[in-house]
Every structure is written in C-alpha cells, then in structure tokens.
Amino acid sequence: MTANESLGSRIRRLRRAAGLSQEALAKPTLSPSYVSLLEAGKRFPSEEVLAQLAERLGCDPGYLTGLITAPGTDDIEIQLHSAQLTLRNGDARAALDGFTALRSQVADSDRTDLRFAVELGVAQCLEEQGDLEEAARAFESLLHRSAAEGRGILSRLGAATPLCRCYRELGDLSRAVDVAEEILAEADALDLPPTVDQLELLSTLIGVYSERGDLHRANFLADEATSRAQLMSDRKALGSAYWKASVDLNRRGRSGDALVLVKKAVALYAEGDDERALARLRHAQATVLLQSEECDPEVAKGLLRRSAAALRAVGGKLDLAEVETALARAEVLLGRPEKAMEHAETALGLLEPEHRLENARVHLVVAAVCLVQGDQEGVRAAYERTAALLEGVDAGRQAAFAWSELGEILEKSGENERAAWAFRQGMRLMGHRGSLVPDVPRRVRTD
C-alpha cells in the first residue's frame, strides 16, 4: 500500500466514524471533489490542509500520514463515534452493544470525558428502547458525576434534557420540573448565551408545565425560548456571544465550559469570511486549552500556527505578538525551552514600548524559560523587567493575572518575600481597582 493510499483510507475511515459526508469534511476551505481525490489516494495534502483535516477528524496529523500509530484512545474514540452514529441512525440495540463493549475499555482510562460519553450513550440507548426507569437512574448518575468531575454546566445540560423527558414519560412531573429548573438556573447564573441544549431543555420544560396545567408558566417560558432562538438565528451574533462568554468563564476558572463555548464560536465563525476574527478565536481556543484540565499543548500549538498564518495576512503586529507569546507558553509546557525563547524573542520584536502589559507577559514567559533552564540570573532579569512594566499598567483584571503569575515564578525561584508582594499586587487589582496605594516598595528589589 502506498503512503497516499494509507492516508486516504485513514481519512475515509475517520470521516465515516464521525458521521461526516465528504462535503461536510471539506467545509469551509476545501471542495468535496478534493476530499474524494484524497481518499482515492490521488492527491497528497499540504501541511496546512493536513492540519485542518486532522482537527476536523479529531486526530493528530501524524496519524493520518502514518508517521505515528493511533494510541488506544484514538481507537476508542473511533468506536465511540461509530456507536453514536449507530444510535443516531435509529438502531438503539446495536448502539447499546457498542457502548457496553466500550465500558470495560475506558474503565481505567484517565480520560473522564470518554467515560462520561460512553455512559451518556448507554443512558440514551436505554431511553430510546423504552427502559425509562433504568435510563432515568443512568441520567441522574451522570448529573452527579458531571458535578463531581467538575465537567461544568454544559455537560449537565446534555444529561438533564433526556432525564427530564424520562420523568415526564414516567409521570413524575414534579421531579421533571425540579431537574430542568435547577439546571437552567445554573446556566442563567453564568450568563451563558443560548445553546441548542439549553433551548432543548427549555422546550421540554414548557411541555411539562403544559401537561401540569400551568399555562401561565408555560407561556412565559415559551416567550423566553423564542427570544433566545432569535439570537441563535443570527450566527455571527451567537458566535460573538459564545466568544465573550468563554472569555468570562475562563477568567472565573471554569475552563471546561469555556473550552466548549470557544469551540462553538470557532465553528460559527468558520462559516463566515472574517479571517481576522477566526484567527483571533483560534488563539483564544488555544489559550483556554493551555489553561484547562484537558491541557494539550500540541493541539494548542496547531491552532496557534493556523492563527499566526492568517494574521500575517490580515492581522496587526499586536495580534501576531500575542500568538507568538502563546506559542512560547506551549513550547514551555512541551519541554522545549529553546523553541519557547525563539517565539518570545519574536514577540518582543513585534511589540512597541507602549504595549506594557503585552511586553510584561512575554517577559513572564522568558522568566519561565530561564527557570526551566536553571538560569537564575536570567530569571532575575526577566522578573525585574516584568515588575517594572507592570507598575506602569492601569489597574485591571489582566494586570492582576500577570502580577499573580509573577508571584508564582518568584515563589518557584525561592524569592518568597517578593512573591508575597507580587501576589498582593494582584489581589489589590482584582478586588480594589482604581484605588491602589501599595504598602510595600513598588519595585522588586534585588539587594
């Protein structure tokens, strides 16, 4: 088998497992005929196209070309996609067999997302087959698990809707209302933009209230659902809402929910022609990914490279500098300090002196690189420069985060007194913006 044939067969197998047509895989940058030629082994993609295909198929580019073999989790994900597709096609019994077989394979996995997806599939099959009591128990368990694992409200929405349906069919309307109202209240408290899952749960709840005879509440919720659906009809507005919400959630430490929403925003913006916004969104997605529990610096690096390629054509120096800084962070996490320093130096070359906060962020990465390399003099020079830059930055949340990161680096360097001072600056900015009167010297001293 030739390399091209191997590539084509892998693309075809993963595409089918994901339930994608050639047209769906091709959008928005490729043509269906080109995908057909790839699968037939008559074309070999560029590195950029290969990265796009791998992202859409949920694998590493090296797996498509055969440079790396698929790890066990890749095989499990393929089987998972296959079972999910079988369920969507209406064969719940066969799908249940598939999900049940996967249970033992993921039992000892550290991928909580895979375990959750398998159990969700089992519960959905039980509901589809009419085993409602067992399905309700399974969905209840998933709700508790999502909370225990810190999976966030978006995962809870996915389990709450079918659970609400089960209780409605079982005649337990009170429990159906309790479940739906509780989860919707959690979502509203986070000020999330509307999602399909949220609207589906809201619609299910409307049906429950109608069945109970509470038409006033049902009509109120119907108006609410209509207003939210109108926002969803404006794809760009919804993408913007997802983007803003993901930033806010990430700042609040809810990186799991933030990652889900920023992926939705990327998908929506990919349907349009705003290349700069899409590039900035990929940068945002990579940033959240680097900070999340699902941290994957290789995937983040791929997103950042695509972002940088687009921004060289449609972006400004500041956009590019921020991406280069993020690339440096990814390389630090990958244990490649030399590469990280190259990206940091590129970022510094792009920034103007007035970009004090952005320059400070780059020097934080430089300090981290020097720390990894055991260069204490380099660490000291970098953190002194960072402190000097941050002192000239207006009070704000981002400056507070930078001060806190500086405190972490100082702490790792054994500079505990200075670390405590930096942490205090961060806490002051976070809690008392605009009225800061430092009670310690404003410069990190070296004597």
Side-chain angles (χ1 to χ4, degrees):
M1 181 177 292
T2 67
N4 284 14
E5 289 172 333
S6 175
L7 171 70
S9 65
R10 287 171 187 241
I11 291 174
R12 184 185 306 107
R13 175 163 56 82
L14 290 175
R15 175 178 63 77
R16 290 176 175 173
L20 298 174
S21 65
Q22 290 181 339
E23 182 179 4
L25 179 59
K27 288 181 179 180
T29 56
L30 307 174
S31 68
S33 60
Y34 181 69
V35 172
S36 178
L37 290 170
L38 286 175
E39 292 186 353
K42 297 178 180 179
R43 291 289 188 276
F44 196 89
S46 66
E47 183 177 341
E48 181 179 354
V49 170
L50 191 67
Q52 293 177 28
L53 291 170
E55 181 181 358
R56 294 170 200 170
L57 293 170
C59 68
D60 191 287
Y63 174 58
L64 291 180
T65 59
L67 294 178
I68 63 173
T69 58
T73 52
D74 279 355
D75 290 333
I76 290 172
E77 287 175 354
I78 291 169
Q79 295 175 56
L80 178 60
H81 286 314
S82 179
Q84 289 168 337
L85 180 59
T86 301
L87 179 60
R88 286 198 297 270
N89 288 337
D91 193 346
R93 184 175 296 277
L96 182 58
D97 290 341
F99 287 120
T100 303
L102 280 167
R103 267 179 166 165
S104 60
Q105 297 183 53
V106 301
D108 298 325
S109 172
D110 57 359
R111 290 280 301 275
T112 58
D113 57 326
L114 288 180
R115 296 203 303 270
F116 188 88
V118 168
E119 293 304 325
L120 180 60
V122 169
Q124 289 168 334
C125 289
L126 291 171
E127 181 195 8
E128 189 70 21
Q129 291 183 152
D131 192 351
L132 298 179
E133 291 186 356
E134 189 65 28
R137 282 193 288 270
F139 286 124
E140 286 277 15
S141 176
L142 284 166
L143 276 182
H144 292 302
R145 175 182 292 190
S146 65
E149 294 177 352
R151 296 190 59 79
I153 188 60
L154 296 169
S155 290
R156 288 167 65 76
L157 278 166
T161 299
L163 177 59
C164 187
R165 285 198 304 262
C166 287
Y167 281 129
R168 178 184 177 182
E169 291 298 317
L170 289 167
D172 192 346
L173 301 184
S174 295
R175 180 56 183 155
V177 167
D178 290 343
V179 168
E181 291 281 16
E182 178 185 350
I183 301 302
L184 288 170
E186 287 183 34
D188 289 341
L190 292 172
D191 198 24
L192 295 178
T195 65
V196 172
D197 287 341
Q198 196 175 5
L199 285 180
E200 187 178 359
L201 180 55
L202 191 54
S203 299
T204 304
L205 180 59
I206 292 168
V208 175
Y209 274 120
S210 296
E211 193 166 332
R212 286 179 63 175
D214 190 346
L215 299 183
H216 176 75
R217 180 62 175 165
N219 289 335
F220 173 81
L221 293 176
D223 290 340
E224 180 68 17
T226 299
S227 64
R228 296 188 187 192
Q230 287 173 345
L231 177 58
M232 291 188 69
S233 67
D234 186 336
R235 309 289 281 176
K236 189 171 183 178
L238 183 60
S240 177
Y242 284 148
W243 188 351
K244 292 175 182 176
S246 71
V247 171
D248 182 59
L249 287 169
N250 193 47
R251 286 174 178 170
R252 287 190 266 166
R254 302 183 69 107
S255 58
D257 285 332
L259 191 58
V260 172
L261 288 183
V262 77
K263 285 180 179 179
K264 290 178 181 290
V266 168
L268 288 169
Y269 271 83
E271 298 174 1
D273 56 4
D274 192 339
E275 289 298 322
R276 180 172 181 268
L278 180 58
R280 292 177 63 216
L281 255 176
R282 288 199 174 106
H283 173 204
Q285 181 182 351
T287 299
V288 175
L289 187 58
L290 289 173
Q291 297 172 353
S292 72
E293 293 182 0
E294 301 175 30
C295 179
D296 191 332
E298 281 290 0
V299 173
K301 192 168 73 169
L303 290 166
L304 291 166
R305 282 177 171 173
R306 293 180 66 186
S307 177
L311 289 172
R312 290 188 188 101
V314 297
K317 287 185 177 181
L318 182 57
D319 289 329
L320 272 173
E322 290 176 340
V323 172
E324 289 290 339
T325 304
L327 279 165
R329 291 182 180 277
E331 295 291 4
V332 170
L333 292 173
L334 288 167
R336 301 168 185 163
E338 294 81 8
K339 286 285 186 182
M341 191 65 82
E342 290 176 13
H343 287 296
E345 290 172 352
T346 300
L348 289 172
L350 290 166
L351 290 169
E352 301 295 336
E354 60 266 24
H355 297 143
R356 298 183 69 88
L357 179 57
E358 289 73 20
N359 273 292
R361 287 169 171 163
V362 181
H363 283 288
L364 282 170
V365 179
V366 172
V369 171
C370 292
L371 193 61
V372 170
Q373 294 176 322
D375 180 2
Q376 289 300 320
E377 287 301 317
V379 174
R380 175 170 297 197
Y383 73 58
E384 285 182 347
R385 181 60 179 154
T386 300
L389 287 164
L390 289 177
E391 287 169 359
V393 175
D394 291 336
R397 186 177 293 270
Q398 294 305 309
F401 289 152
W403 275 114
S404 296
E405 187 174 352
L406 175 60
E408 292 174 6
I409 291 173
L410 287 165
E411 192 172 39
K412 290 176 182 177
S413 302
E415 303 278 359
N416 293 331
E417 184 178 347
R418 293 166 183 162
W421 169 75
F423 283 128
R424 283 199 295 273
Q425 306 315 302
M427 287 187 288
R428 283 173 174 273
L429 289 176
M430 192 71 74
H432 305 285
R433 292 192 216 173
S435 59
L436 308 182
V437 183
D439 59 357
V440 292
R442 287 176 58 84
R443 186 165 305 280
V444 178
R445 298 175 57 187
T446 58
D447 57 357

